[in-house]
Amino acid sequence: MLGAGDSMNISTGITAGGSKFIQEHGIKGKSTQDYVDHLMKQAKDKGIPINKANVETYARRGGEIIDWLEQLGVPFGRFQEDKYFHITKDGSAPGPHIMKALKAEVEKQGIPYRLNSKVTEILSDHGKAIGVEVSTPEGKYKVLSKAVIVATGGFSASPELLKRYAPDWIGRPTTGASSLTGDGIRMAQAIGADTASMEQIKVNYLCHPLTKKDGVSLTAITPYTVLVNHDGKRFVDENHPSINYKSKAMMKQPKHEAYAVVDQKAMDNLKLMRNYADAGYFVKADTIPGLAKKLDVNQKAFIETMDAYIKDCKEGLKNDKAFGRKIQYPMLNPPYYAALVTPSMQSTYGGIKTNTKAEALDTKGHVIPGLYAAGAASGHEAYANEVGFAAIIGLTYGRIAGEKAAAYVK
Ligand SMILES: Cc1cc2nc3c(=O)[nH]c(=O)nc-3n(C[C@H](O)[C@H](O)[C@H](O)COP(=O)(O)OP(=O)(O)OC[C@H]3O[C@@H](n4cnc5c(N)ncnc54)[C@H](O)[C@@H]3O)c2cc1C
């Protein structure tokens, strides 16, 4: 199917400054330049060695991509200012809306695509990319072309690549797509491409495990939730800006797990979470003692922990007393809900080394003629999830790769 990768999984929001949505809603201080500055500051504060040119290039065009998605029918209706997230009106996951809109556009423009077709090799001639070999249930064939854009996603489902680049996280469940085995990265390497920032990964501590191997991401509840371990204690600032930091903190808790507790407000605001509650992923109770009884926790400690946090909310504190966590949505609206969560492999953000034109580079830094890469298959040294978020990088460099490849072909 179209959308058999992580783009269908995009669950929270799409980041950008300067979109028409921002302008039309009179949201101040969120221009394109503000977004560029925000990303540069994040990188500086965290000491992350981003490629500034690559980051600035996508950040300058993010607003235009949001406008385009809206025009194609993606129902953005809210904006989360601290993260520059464009969120859907009803809080449903943006991914399926985006895939539906893009599929309709592909059909409208009559752009041919082939399903059940696995690319197994990028063909090259004298260092230029000249097509691909495709494997189908009916057999193999070649497609000759003047340019190739690799958009095969990351490698979160490749045990070999994870063993090499993320060994600490082997054996965790995954919230990502099973199709993401790093094929495009390996195929590009086979014709000389370099890779960049392969160690950039996201481990999602807000994974509700469904089996030992996979689960669903509850990331959208980040601004609403507090995390309580089996001992009934909180252990981290739930609003800490680093997702991997919070994942590491959770790995130190009993069974590497915790309960993500939210109130009715999160359910009212997020359709995705209402769907997950209907699916049985949350336990619900009218009171905190009632919730404690339904969870595998030290009940006394759990009640004390939650009472202390709710007291801070009732007092209208901006940050809670125990961890200094920013209280964006005070927990004041029973009933309460809790979902078991554990760190999972979510996505990878390193890949084929590319420049601001989405051109693939070889190990000497030279452009490989005809080869372009975008999305999670590419490595822009943009450090998504520590500096900005991934989907807009993929969407923007996808557009840039298309533009540049089209110009190259002419
Ligand atoms: C649970 C979850 C939630 C997320 N939420 C957000 C969010 O809220 N905001 C955000 O910014 N980012 C989010 N992300 C990250 C985001 O989803 C990805 O960075 C982005 O979707 C990557 O898009 P892509 O087009 O590069 O790859 P994908 O969408 O994964 O597409 C890759 C495609 O390539 C195909 N493919 C792979 N190998 C081959 C081959 N050999 N031949 C042919 N086809 C092949 C796959 O089947 C797939 O269809 C989330 C990720 C996950 C897992």
Side-chain angles (χ1 to χ4, degrees):
M1 59 188 270
L2 283 183
D6 271 357
S7 298
M8 191 66 110
N9 285 328
I10 298 171
S11 59
T12 309
I14 311 292
T15 44
S19 64
K20 277 193 188 135
F21 184 91
I22 291 172
Q23 292 168 39
E24 283 164 8
H25 286 79
I27 302 165
K28 298 278 176 255
K30 300 290 164 191
S31 68
T32 300
Q33 187 59 49
D34 291 322
Y35 187 51
V36 173
D37 296 344
H38 167 74
L39 295 178
M40 296 301 159
K41 184 173 180 319
Q42 277 190 327
K44 193 170 168 223
D45 291 351
K46 294 182 181 177
I48 295 178
I50 54 164
N51 178 317
K52 286 188 182 169
N54 281 353
V55 169
E56 182 159 355
T57 299
Y58 88 73
R60 292 221 171 271
R61 293 190 63 180
E64 160 198 333
I65 301 291
I66 298 284
D67 300 348
W68 177 61
L69 291 175
E70 256 200 317
Q71 188 199 318
L72 295 184
V74 178
F76 293 120
R78 282 192 259 158
F79 185 70
Q80 187 185 319
E81 296 206 13
D82 60 338
K83 300 225 161 43
Y84 284 76
F85 269 146
H86 292 74
I87 296 175
T88 58
K89 205 177 245 163
D90 61 3
S92 51
H97 291 291
I98 293 173
M99 291 318 299
K100 190 175 160 197
L102 292 180
K103 181 169 187 278
E105 188 63 9
V106 162
E107 309 281 4
K108 191 173 129 198
Q109 293 197 27
I111 298 169
Y113 60 89
R114 296 173 195 190
L115 301 177
N116 299 315
S117 305
K118 181 177 167 117
V119 176
T120 49
E121 189 183 338
I122 300 171
L123 305 172
S124 76
D125 182 28
H126 292 87
K128 287 185 187 177
I130 57 154
V132 292
E133 184 179 78
V134 184
S135 173
T136 73
E138 287 76 44
K140 286 188 167 189
Y141 65 91
K142 289 177 179 166
V143 178
L144 296 180
S145 63
K146 288 183 183 160
V148 174
I149 300 174
V150 184
T152 46
F155 58 87
S156 56
S158 163
E160 303 85 57
L161 290 174
L162 289 181
K163 200 170 165 192
R164 188 158 164 205
Y165 295 107
D168 293 351
W169 300 103
I170 292 279
R172 301 306 304 161
T174 177
T175 46
S178 57
S179 56
L180 304 183
T181 46
D183 293 6
I185 301 170
R186 278 190 277 239
M187 289 186 276
Q189 279 183 299
I191 68 159
D194 199 1
T195 55
S197 42
M198 291 290 280
E199 73 296 343
Q200 265 188 74
I201 52 154
K202 173 179 171 185
V203 181
N204 182 1
Y205 64 95
L206 282 174
C207 163
H208 176 66
L210 297 176
T211 68
K212 280 193 172 151
K213 286 191 171 171
D214 71 343
V216 293
S217 169
L218 309 183
T219 307
I221 60 173
T222 306
Y224 302 86
T225 193
V226 290
L227 299 168
V228 185
N229 68 14
H230 288 291
D231 296 335
K233 301 262 168 71
R234 285 172 66 207
F235 50 91
V236 75
D237 165 7
E238 294 86 351
N239 209 45
H240 187 283
S242 170
I243 288 155
N244 289 345
Y245 172 85
K246 289 181 274 191
S247 293
K248 283 180 190 156
M250 194 177 285
M251 286 301 283
K252 292 184 191 143
Q253 306 312 311
K255 298 187 189 174
H256 313 312
E257 292 170 343
Y259 288 100
V261 183
V262 296
D263 68 357
Q264 184 60 36
K265 182 86 178 164
M267 292 295 161
D268 291 346
N269 282 2
L270 300 169
K271 184 174 180 214
L272 180 62
M273 294 307 138
R274 294 200 293 279
N275 291 345
Y276 284 168
D278 290 347
Y281 302 163
F282 286 90
V283 170
K284 179 181 174 186
D286 289 334
T287 63
I288 292 296
L291 191 64
K293 272 190 203 148
K294 294 183 175 178
L295 305 177
D296 175 16
V297 288
N298 175 321
Q299 292 188 29
K300 187 169 171 283
F302 180 86
I303 294 166
E304 279 168 16
T305 300
M306 289 308 301
D307 282 354
Y309 182 74
I310 291 170
K311 186 167 172 274
D312 291 349
C313 294
K314 283 187 177 154
E315 284 174 11
L317 299 188
K318 286 210 166 90
N319 298 81
D320 85 282
K321 284 183 193 143
F323 287 91
R325 178 243 160 83
K326 186 178 165 201
I327 302 177
Q328 197 174 340
Y329 294 101
M331 204 177 273
L332 301 172
N333 302 284
Y336 302 101
Y337 300 78
L340 190 70
V341 290
T342 193
S344 70
M345 171 51 59
Q346 175 137 315
S347 6
T348 63
Y349 304 119
I352 303 162
K353 189 164 187 171
T354 43
N355 61 17
T356 56
K357 297 175 183 165
E359 294 166 325
L361 304 176
D362 69 14
T363 49
K364 291 192 176 126
H366 299 137
V367 168
I368 299 178
L371 188 63
Y372 300 82
S378 58
H380 305 281
E381 298 161 280
Y383 291 82
N385 273 292
E386 294 295 338
V387 179
F389 289 86
I392 198 67
I393 308 176
L395 285 156
T396 311
Y397 274 113
R399 170 166 286 202
I400 293 172
E403 288 168 358
K404 299 299 173 192
Y408 171 81
V409 163
K410 276 182 195 150

